[in-house]
Each structure stands twice: as structure tokens, then as C-alpha cells.
Amino acid sequence: MKPIRTLKLGELLVNAGAISPANLQAALGEQKVSHMRLGEVLIKNGYLTEMHLAEALSAQLGIPFISLVKERPNQNALAMIPENVATRLNVIPIALTYDGRITVAMSDPMDTLAIDEINMLTNREVDIRIATASDINKALSTYYRVQSSVEEAVQDVMKQTASISGTTPVMPQMAPQDVAAVNTDDAPVVRLVNSILEQSVKEKASDIHIEPTDSTTNVRMRIDGTLFLTTEIPKNLHAPLIARIKILSGMDIGEKRRPQDGRILIKVGGKKMDIRVSTLPSIFGEKAVLRLLDQDNEHIGIEKLGFEHEQAETLRQVVTAPHGIILVTGPTGSGKSTTLYSLLELINRPEVNIITIEDPVEYTIPGVTQVQVNEKIDVTFGSALRSILRQDPDKLMVGEIRDQETAHLAVRVALTGHLVLSTLHTNDAPASINRLVDMGIPNFLIASSMRCIVAQRLVRKLCPHCKREMSVTGEMASEIKIPEGSKIYAPVGCASCRFTGYSGRTVIGEIMVIDAALRDMINNGRPQHEIKEYAVNHGMETLRDIARKKVLEGIISVEEMLISTMFE
């Protein structure tokens, strides 16, 4: 164990300049009454933040700071210290070293009594790392709860497998057919699935990936567009875990050779969730991906999406058109469906008959008739669209134009007096014209039916708690076309943002409204670069233009601007 200096915590923080002597005296006085830790009193009263405390201790004591988001605790280390002890001491075991030490994260590295207790409990020398108290508390609830469920489930699997085979339970490499014999309704497996879902909601994840490897099963969650490894599950628990998910989502538990799709409607952490499940056979077993759709609709709304004020006003105007097509384009996961829902919200009134065809239906909207695509019974975008025309619709939303049939039908519907909202996969707004031509739509029909094309991306927002101000240098100015000396911000990383430097996402978009001149250009088959040049010269701001604005406003970083508009 590294020697801890004899200075008390308060003196150390005063010497580091983190607090004033007056702050210390006030905190010490309160501590005598509340019996709280000194660090807790200082943070509660706003004398310093958790991060400032951790940084000051790390600098003064020479002990490394650790992020429990980036550095995942080792399961063998967790097993060395019981959960109740770790919670009482406010520590989290990180790793076991080859030379017989145990590495632990603490918010108070000067707590020698806690260090001595760990030493006696584990019979190992203790290496200390500093972490924030909230980071440790989060890790305690996350890793110990999941680990406890995993251990119980593993033991249960072993016992039941042993009872089936009549052998003594050991840690075997069980065959898939043996594991599948386990009752997937048993409490440990149920708790494991529940804990994964609860964690995903708590972390505001959009997707859960359950991936088998040759030795373990990894659980990863996509948070703000980035995948994070959150849990490692023993390989011999993979089959009952997948079987439990299949049962919940209405899949065929016996079919393991083909991909399957299912759906779970569940309430997790007080939120109603619609979870779309997909399984895919791989060489190590079935991989499952769960897409989480929050039914509270809290992200729907043009203002909430992050469009610029002028762009939002343009969208409000074009969506009131009596007929025509409004396309929202972009790659998978760029928020196209959410934009469509937000546009529907603007026109959703009792006197308007709105019908949607979606795959999947991501949010339920009161007052709107929503149809789920089901290709197994021949309910496709094309077949549903033909039937919908007999339902006297005013406005239609077609989730995606995927094929020639859907494209032709959408154009015909628009030309017969209906407003059609849909999505397409293209890199920018002008490219959508070429995409429709490739689908066999004549130029004159595109020119007659198209009203507006929106191209968009989702970009990560800088964490407001830790972003760092910087000035644009001359070299940067020429590359990003932002004036030299401008104040912009860069990511840093803190406990609030999982030490990524980013928190949440916002939209960047370009909106191309089709005017008379553009109709003539489309009708005459003018090339894409000419259409884009005309649109830009007549007021269209490109994706790069909007991203540059958000950089100057301190919302996103230069790196996000360059990555999201790489091909602009």
C-alpha cells in the first residue's frame, strides 16, 4: 500500500487551494453535529465539487484518479469484498494483481481504517485509486447487483443440470442442449434480465447488445450513440438468458438456426418501454439486440430536436401544404422517425385524418391511426398504402420508402391530393432526387410531387459540466472555416458524462424547399451538384453550416462537426 501523508483531509485541501480556511472551519463545525464525512459536508455546502475533491486528492497524494465508467471492475476482485462491506466502506474493488495485491477505488484515500479492514479481509496489500463518491455508489449498485444475479443464476443452472444428468455439480463447459434444459422462468434468470433492463433505462440507453464470445457473453449498451461494455456474463448462462428474452418477446424458443424478431411491452423504472428484439445466429451462439423505445414521447417536438429557429419555422410552413411529399433523409440512427413524429404533432387535429404505416411503430400518438408492417401476413408498406387510400386519409406517414413499389405509390398518393411524409437513406438533401430516379420514378413526377427534403444527423452535445474553452488557431481556422480567435469548446470528461466529454445528442439538418426553379431543374434532369449549388445560393444552409453554428454556440465540438459532415 502506498504511504498516505499524515496531513488531515481539510489541511490537504486548503494547501491545494481547493477550499479556503474559512470554508474548512465552517465544514468542521457542521461535521461535529451531522457526523458526516468532511468531504460530504464540503460538497453538500457547495465549497467544492466531487470532481474538484478527487482531483485535489490525486494531485496532493500522488494517487491516480480512476473512472469507473472506463475502468470496469474485475469479477474476481468483486468477489473478494462482500457487497455490504464495500457499501459500508464506500469502496469498489477493481482488480487483483499478479504480485498478490488488490486494487480498490475510494473517494477518501485517507481513510486508513477502511484500508486496514480491506487488508485483513482479503489478506492482500491494498493499492488505492481515487474515484468520486457518486461514481463509487453507482458502481456498487450496478456491478454487485448484476454480479449477485449472475452468480445465483449460474449456481442454479449448475444444480439443475446436475439433477438432469445425475452428477455432482462442478463448473463444467456445458453443452447448449444441457443449458437449454434449465427453466428460464426461474428467479435468478428473471432477475438477471430485469437488472439488465433496469440498468439500460437508468443509463438512457437506446440499444442493448447481448453478444456471445468463445469464453463469455458481453452485454453492451449504446448510450448517446456510443457502445459501452457494461457486464460480462459466464458463457454457460447465455442460453437461458436468450431463452428468457425469447419468451418475453414471443419468439420460438426452440428455433436457434434462423434470425427472429419480437417485441416486449414492459414497465421499467416507472417508464413504459416498447422493446424491439432481434436475434441472430452466430458461431458462438445467438446474439440478441434489444432496441428500447420510450413510450413517454418526451423527445417529440421540433424545438426539442435541436433544429435552428429559422429551420423550425420553415418546417412549420411546409407541413401545412395540402399535398405533396416531405422527405426526411439520413443514415440509420439519425433521428428521422422522431422528426416525422414531430411534424405529425404539428398537424394532428381532430378535423384531420392521419394514418401511418411504420416498421416498427416507435411511439403511439393519440388521434393518429398507426399501422404496423407485418411481412409474414403480407402487410407491407406497399400493400398497406393501397388499403389506406380507401380509409379517406388527409395526411399519411410512410415509415420508409424501401423499394420501387412504395416509391411509385407514395408519388401517386401525393399527386392525388394527399400530404405524404416519409424517409429515405441518402447523405444529403439533393441526393434524394437521384435516389428516387434510381428507383424508377420519372423526373417529371418527382418535380410535381416533391415539396421539401430534410437531411439530418444526430451529433453528440458537449457535457455542460466539464467542457473546456479554447481559441481557434490560424491552422484550425483554415480547416474548419471559423475565424481565428473565435471561442469554441472541447470535450474533457467527468462523472456526469461517463468521462466521455459528451452528454446527450442534438440534430443538425439541411432543409431544401422545392421552389419553381428547382422543379424545372429536377424535371430537366440537372445533375446533383447543380441542384445543390442552386439551393445553397438561395438560402439553404448545409449540414456543415449548421454544425459550424453549433460549434460557435458551444453546443458541439469541432471533432463532432468534422465526423458528422465528413463527406460534405
Side-chain angles (χ1 to χ4, degrees):
M1 181 181 70
K2 288 187 176 183
I4 300 295
R5 299 181 186 179
T6 56
L7 280 178
K8 293 183 177 180
L9 175 62
E11 297 175 81
L12 188 149
L13 291 173
V14 170
N15 291 345
I19 60 172
S20 67
N23 295 153
L24 175 60
Q25 291 306 314
L28 288 172
E30 183 175 335
Q31 185 190 25
K32 291 178 182 178
V33 178
S34 66
H35 302 293
M36 296 169 61
R37 296 171 184 263
L38 178 60
E40 293 174 348
V41 175
L42 291 167
I43 292 168
K44 181 176 77 72
N45 290 335
Y47 296 137
L48 78 172
T49 65
E50 279 191 318
M51 184 56 66
H52 289 148
L53 173 61
E55 289 173 346
L57 290 172
S58 178
Q60 289 295 302
L61 299 176
I63 299 174
F65 175 81
I66 191 171
S67 161
L68 295 178
V69 174
K70 294 181 178 179
E71 190 78 24
R72 187 179 174 278
N74 177 271
Q75 301 292 2
N76 293 327
L78 288 169
M80 294 290 292
I81 303 178
E83 180 182 3
N84 63 326
V85 176
T87 301
R88 176 167 53 82
L89 301 179
N90 198 35
V91 303
I92 190 82
I94 299 298
L96 304 178
T97 62
Y98 291 112
D99 58 357
R101 295 169 178 264
I102 183 169
T103 303
V104 300
M106 309 176 66
S107 60
D108 182 4
M110 304 179 76
D111 188 347
T112 54
L113 293 177
I115 296 168
D116 289 341
E117 184 172 344
I118 295 169
N119 174 251
M120 289 187 291
L121 176 67
T122 63
N123 197 29
R124 288 172 174 260
E125 288 294 314
V126 182
D127 278 341
I128 302 170
R129 299 291 184 268
I130 295 175
T132 63
S134 61
D135 218 4
I136 291 173
N137 289 333
K138 186 177 180 181
L140 285 169
S141 64
T142 298
Y143 295 116
Y144 272 108
R145 183 178 67 239
V146 172
Q147 174 65 8
S148 175
S149 296
V150 170
E151 288 177 351
E152 289 181 26
V154 169
Q155 293 302 319
D156 204 38
V157 168
M158 291 166 56
K159 289 176 184 177
Q160 294 191 40
T161 305
S163 68
I164 293 169
S165 60
T167 59
T168 302
V170 291
M171 280 301 286
Q173 285 296 324
M174 293 183 286
Q177 62 268 24
D178 294 330
V179 180
V182 174
N183 183 357
T184 54
D185 287 329
D186 285 338
V189 177
V190 173
R191 285 200 300 272
L192 177 57
V193 173
N194 290 346
S195 67
I196 291 172
L197 293 177
E198 288 170 8
Q199 185 183 2
S200 68
V201 171
K202 184 178 179 182
E203 298 284 1
K204 298 181 180 178
S206 60
D207 302 270
I208 304 170
H209 292 238
I210 300 175
E211 305 167 317
T213 68
D214 59 342
S215 57
T216 63
T217 290
N218 295 332
V219 178
R220 296 194 293 168
M221 296 183 186
R222 189 176 297 280
I223 302 167
D224 291 337
T226 303
L227 277 173
F228 292 91
L229 176 65
T230 57
T231 311
E232 289 181 355
I233 295 173
K235 178 72 173 178
N236 52 8
L237 194 55
H238 178 76
L241 174 62
I242 295 296
R244 174 63 184 170
I245 291 171
K246 282 184 170 182
I247 290 170
L248 288 174
S249 55
M251 295 184 190
D252 182 356
I253 188 174
E255 178 57 74
K256 302 176 183 179
R257 299 169 301 172
R258 296 179 180 177
Q260 294 189 66
D261 296 304
R263 180 183 185 188
I264 304 172
L265 292 172
I266 195 170
K267 198 167 186 177
V268 183
K271 286 181 172 288
K272 292 188 293 183
M273 304 298 297
D274 184 355
I275 304 173
R276 302 305 168 101
V277 184
S278 171
T279 61
L280 181 71
S282 74
I283 59 172
F284 296 119
E286 289 180 283
K287 173 180 176 177
V289 175
L290 289 72
R291 185 181 183 190
L292 283 73
L293 305 173
D294 187 349
Q295 292 299 292
D296 290 340
N297 298 353
E298 60 184 27
H299 303 298
I300 293 178
I302 292 296
E303 291 79 8
K304 296 176 184 177
L305 294 176
F307 282 103
E308 297 288 299
H309 176 72
E310 296 81 2
Q311 291 184 319
E313 289 302 314
T314 299
L315 290 175
R316 286 191 180 92
Q317 291 174 15
V318 297
V319 81
T320 59
H323 55 82
I325 297 178
I326 298 175
L327 278 182
V328 181
T329 74
T332 301
S334 59
K336 299 186 297 295
S337 296
T338 308
T339 298
L340 287 185
Y341 283 118
S342 300
L343 293 175
L344 286 182
E345 188 182 59
L346 296 176
I347 57 176
N348 185 15
R349 299 187 303 276
E351 65 270 21
V352 180
N353 180 20
I354 303 174
I355 303 179
T356 73
I357 317 163
E358 306 172 60
D359 186 21
V361 175
E362 297 191 14
Y363 304 102
T364 55
I365 308 174
V368 175
T369 302
Q370 296 174 268
V371 179
Q372 169 72 52
V373 167
N374 187 344
E375 294 185 356
K376 293 179 181 178
I377 56 174
D378 197 34
V379 180
T380 63
F381 283 113
S383 64
L385 192 51
R386 284 192 297 269
S387 299
I388 283 171
L389 290 178
R390 295 190 287 271
Q391 293 284 314
D392 186 31
D394 297 307
K395 319 288 183 183
L396 294 96
M397 185 184 99
V398 180
E400 183 182 347
I401 295 178
R402 294 178 177 174
D403 50 42
Q404 189 177 60
E405 179 192 16
T406 307
H408 275 281
L409 283 170
V411 169
R412 290 175 188 172
V413 170
L415 291 174
T416 55
H418 303 85
L419 181 68
V420 179
L421 288 76
S422 192
T423 68
L424 203 62
H425 289 279
T426 59
N427 287 328
D428 59 15
S432 301
I433 306 300
N434 284 354
R435 180 77 182 100
L436 291 172
V437 171
D438 289 342
M439 285 184 167
I441 310 299
N443 287 82
F444 76 91
L445 289 180
I446 299 173
S448 302
S449 61
M450 198 62 58
R451 289 289 172 268
C452 176
I453 304 174
V454 181
Q456 66 179 59
R457 304 283 188 280
L458 283 179
V459 292
R460 294 181 297 172
K461 295 192 294 184
L462 286 163
C463 174
H465 302 287
C466 65
K467 63 182 181 180
R468 172 175 55 87
E469 185 180 289
M470 59 182 291
S471 295
V472 177
T473 63
E475 184 180 349
M476 288 173 61
S478 60
E479 181 182 356
I480 63 178
K481 293 182 172 55
I482 291 178
E484 184 177 353
S486 299
K487 298 296 182 185
I488 60 175
Y489 291 85
V492 177
C494 66
S496 297
C497 62
R498 300 175 63 93
F499 295 91
T500 62
Y502 299 94
S503 179
R505 291 190 290 177
T506 188
V507 74
I508 59 171
E510 62 182 28
I511 301 176
M512 187 172 78
V513 179
I514 311 300
D515 61 15
L518 276 176
R519 290 189 199 288
D520 287 340
M521 295 179 73
I522 295 169
N523 194 28
N524 293 326
R526 304 308 302 167
Q528 179 180 321
H529 69 89
E530 287 188 18
I531 291 174
K532 183 167 186 175
E533 183 180 356
Y534 172 87
V536 170
N537 290 337
H538 288 76
M540 183 184 83
E541 294 182 286
T542 66
L543 291 167
R544 178 64 67 92
D545 293 334
I546 298 299
R548 192 178 290 112
K549 278 187 176 181
K550 291 187 183 292
V551 168
L552 288 169
E553 292 167 0
I555 297 173
I556 69 173
S557 66
V558 169
E559 291 80 6
E560 276 297 287
M561 179 188 80
L562 295 176
I563 292 171
S564 62
T565 61
M566 187 178 297
F567 300 106
E568 286 296 297

PDB file of all heavy atoms in Angstrom, residues 29-40:
ATOM      1  N   GLY A  29     -17.254  22.550  11.759  1.00  0.00           N
ATOM      2  CA  GLY A  29     -18.303  22.812  12.748  1.00  0.00           C
ATOM      3  C   GLY A  29     -19.567  22.021  12.446  1.00  0.00           C
ATOM      4  O   GLY A  29     -20.188  21.456  13.359  1.00  0.00           O
ATOM      5  N   GLU A  30     -19.949  21.975  11.177  1.00  0.00           N
ATOM      6  CA  GLU A  30     -21.146  21.214  10.800  1.00  0.00           C
ATOM      7  C   GLU A  30     -20.929  19.717  10.961  1.00  0.00           C
ATOM      8  O   GLU A  30     -21.841  18.976  11.335  1.00  0.00           O
ATOM      9  CB  GLU A  30     -21.530  21.536   9.350  1.00  0.00           C
ATOM     10  CG  GLU A  30     -22.813  20.842   8.901  1.00  0.00           C
ATOM     11  CD  GLU A  30     -23.262  21.264   7.510  1.00  0.00           C
ATOM     12  OE1 GLU A  30     -22.897  22.389   7.090  1.00  0.00           O
ATOM     13  OE2 GLU A  30     -23.961  20.480   6.856  1.00  0.00           O
ATOM     14  N   GLN A  31     -19.697  19.278  10.696  1.00  0.00           N
ATOM     15  CA  GLN A  31     -19.394  17.849  10.795  1.00  0.00           C
ATOM     16  C   GLN A  31     -19.586  17.331  12.219  1.00  0.00           C
ATOM     17  O   GLN A  31     -20.043  16.207  12.427  1.00  0.00           O
ATOM     18  CB  GLN A  31     -17.953  17.586  10.336  1.00  0.00           C
ATOM     19  CG  GLN A  31     -17.603  16.104  10.287  1.00  0.00           C
ATOM     20  CD  GLN A  31     -16.123  15.874  10.066  1.00  0.00           C
ATOM     21  OE1 GLN A  31     -15.300  16.724  10.388  1.00  0.00           O
ATOM     22  NE2 GLN A  31     -15.779  14.721   9.509  1.00  0.00           N
ATOM     23  N   LYS A  32     -19.262  18.152  13.210  1.00  0.00           N
ATOM     24  CA  LYS A  32     -19.419  17.731  14.607  1.00  0.00           C
ATOM     25  C   LYS A  32     -20.878  17.440  14.940  1.00  0.00           C
ATOM     26  O   LYS A  32     -21.183  16.597  15.775  1.00  0.00           O
ATOM     27  CB  LYS A  32     -18.879  18.817  15.537  1.00  0.00           C
ATOM     28  CG  LYS A  32     -17.370  18.970  15.485  1.00  0.00           C
ATOM     29  CD  LYS A  32     -16.904  20.107  16.392  1.00  0.00           C
ATOM     30  CE  LYS A  32     -15.390  20.276  16.300  1.00  0.00           C
ATOM     31  NZ  LYS A  32     -14.917  21.413  17.156  1.00  0.00           N
ATOM     32  N   VAL A  33     -21.777  18.140  14.262  1.00  0.00           N
ATOM     33  CA  VAL A  33     -23.206  17.961  14.524  1.00  0.00           C
ATOM     34  C   VAL A  33     -23.787  16.848  13.668  1.00  0.00           C
ATOM     35  O   VAL A  33     -24.540  15.991  14.158  1.00  0.00           O
ATOM     36  CB  VAL A  33     -23.970  19.282  14.260  1.00  0.00           C
ATOM     37  CG1 VAL A  33     -25.463  19.088  14.482  1.00  0.00           C
ATOM     38  CG2 VAL A  33     -23.422  20.396  15.145  1.00  0.00           C
ATOM     39  N   SER A  34     -23.432  16.827  12.388  1.00  0.00           N
ATOM     40  CA  SER A  34     -24.050  15.876  11.448  1.00  0.00           C
ATOM     41  C   SER A  34     -23.383  14.506  11.446  1.00  0.00           C
ATOM     42  O   SER A  34     -23.992  13.521  11.035  1.00  0.00           O
ATOM     43  CB  SER A  34     -24.003  16.442  10.032  1.00  0.00           C
ATOM     44  OG  SER A  34     -22.661  16.550   9.574  1.00  0.00           O
ATOM     45  N   HIS A  35     -22.093  14.460  11.877  1.00  0.00           N
ATOM     46  CA  HIS A  35     -21.291  13.228  11.867  1.00  0.00           C
ATOM     47  C   HIS A  35     -21.108  12.684  10.456  1.00  0.00           C
ATOM     48  O   HIS A  35     -20.864  11.492  10.257  1.00  0.00           O
ATOM     49  CB  HIS A  35     -21.925  12.150  12.765  1.00  0.00           C
ATOM     50  CG  HIS A  35     -22.095  12.582  14.187  1.00  0.00           C
ATOM     51  ND1 HIS A  35     -21.024  12.813  15.027  1.00  0.00           N
ATOM     52  CD2 HIS A  35     -23.211  12.856  14.908  1.00  0.00           C
ATOM     53  CE1 HIS A  35     -21.465  13.198  16.218  1.00  0.00           C
ATOM     54  NE2 HIS A  35     -22.798  13.249  16.173  1.00  0.00           N
ATOM     55  N   MET A  36     -21.246  13.550   9.450  1.00  0.00           N
ATOM     56  CA  MET A  36     -20.969  13.162   8.068  1.00  0.00           C
ATOM     57  C   MET A  36     -19.464  13.219   7.829  1.00  0.00           C
ATOM     58  O   MET A  36     -18.713  13.803   8.614  1.00  0.00           O
ATOM     59  CB  MET A  36     -21.688  14.105   7.090  1.00  0.00           C
ATOM     60  CG  MET A  36     -23.203  14.067   7.159  1.00  0.00           C
ATOM     61  SD  MET A  36     -23.978  15.424   6.207  1.00  0.00           S
ATOM     62  CE  MET A  36     -23.395  15.064   4.551  1.00  0.00           C
ATOM     63  N   ARG A  37     -19.032  12.593   6.732  1.00  0.00           N
ATOM     64  CA  ARG A  37     -17.634  12.721   6.331  1.00  0.00           C
ATOM     65  C   ARG A  37     -17.359  14.173   5.944  1.00  0.00           C
ATOM     66  O   ARG A  37     -18.241  14.862   5.413  1.00  0.00           O
ATOM     67  CB  ARG A  37     -17.314  11.810   5.135  1.00  0.00           C
ATOM     68  CG  ARG A  37     -17.455  10.319   5.414  1.00  0.00           C
ATOM     69  CD  ARG A  37     -17.329   9.547   4.112  1.00  0.00           C
ATOM     70  NE  ARG A  37     -17.553   8.123   4.302  1.00  0.00           N
ATOM     71  CZ  ARG A  37     -16.591   7.216   4.463  1.00  0.00           C
ATOM     72  NH1 ARG A  37     -15.323   7.611   4.446  1.00  0.00           N
ATOM     73  NH2 ARG A  37     -16.876   5.943   4.639  1.00  0.00           N
ATOM     74  N   LEU A  38     -16.126  14.620   6.176  1.00  0.00           N
ATOM     75  CA  LEU A  38     -15.787  16.014   5.885  1.00  0.00           C
ATOM     76  C   LEU A  38     -15.994  16.319   4.396  1.00  0.00           C
ATOM     77  O   LEU A  38     -16.529  17.380   4.047  1.00  0.00           O
ATOM     78  CB  LEU A  38     -14.338  16.300   6.283  1.00  0.00           C
ATOM     79  CG  LEU A  38     -13.837  17.722   5.980  1.00  0.00           C
ATOM     80  CD1 LEU A  38     -14.680  18.764   6.712  1.00  0.00           C
ATOM     81  CD2 LEU A  38     -12.356  17.857   6.344  1.00  0.00           C
ATOM     82  N   GLY A  39     -15.572  15.395   3.544  1.00  0.00           N
ATOM     83  CA  GLY A  39     -15.748  15.609   2.102  1.00  0.00           C
ATOM     84  C   GLY A  39     -17.209  15.769   1.721  1.00  0.00           C
ATOM     85  O   GLY A  39     -17.556  16.614   0.895  1.00  0.00           O
ATOM     86  N   GLU A  40     -18.098  14.988   2.360  1.00  0.00           N
ATOM     87  CA  GLU A  40     -19.533  15.079   2.075  1.00  0.00           C
ATOM     88  C   GLU A  40     -20.081  16.442   2.489  1.00  0.00           C
ATOM     89  O   GLU A  40     -20.915  17.028   1.788  1.00  0.00           O
ATOM     90  CB  GLU A  40     -20.281  13.964   2.814  1.00  0.00           C
ATOM     91  CG  GLU A  40     -19.964  12.567   2.294  1.00  0.00           C
ATOM     92  CD  GLU A  40     -20.611  11.480   3.140  1.00  0.00           C
ATOM     93  OE1 GLU A  40     -21.102  11.814   4.240  1.00  0.00           O
ATOM     94  OE2 GLU A  40     -20.628  10.319   2.709  1.00  0.00           O
TER      95      GLU A  40
END
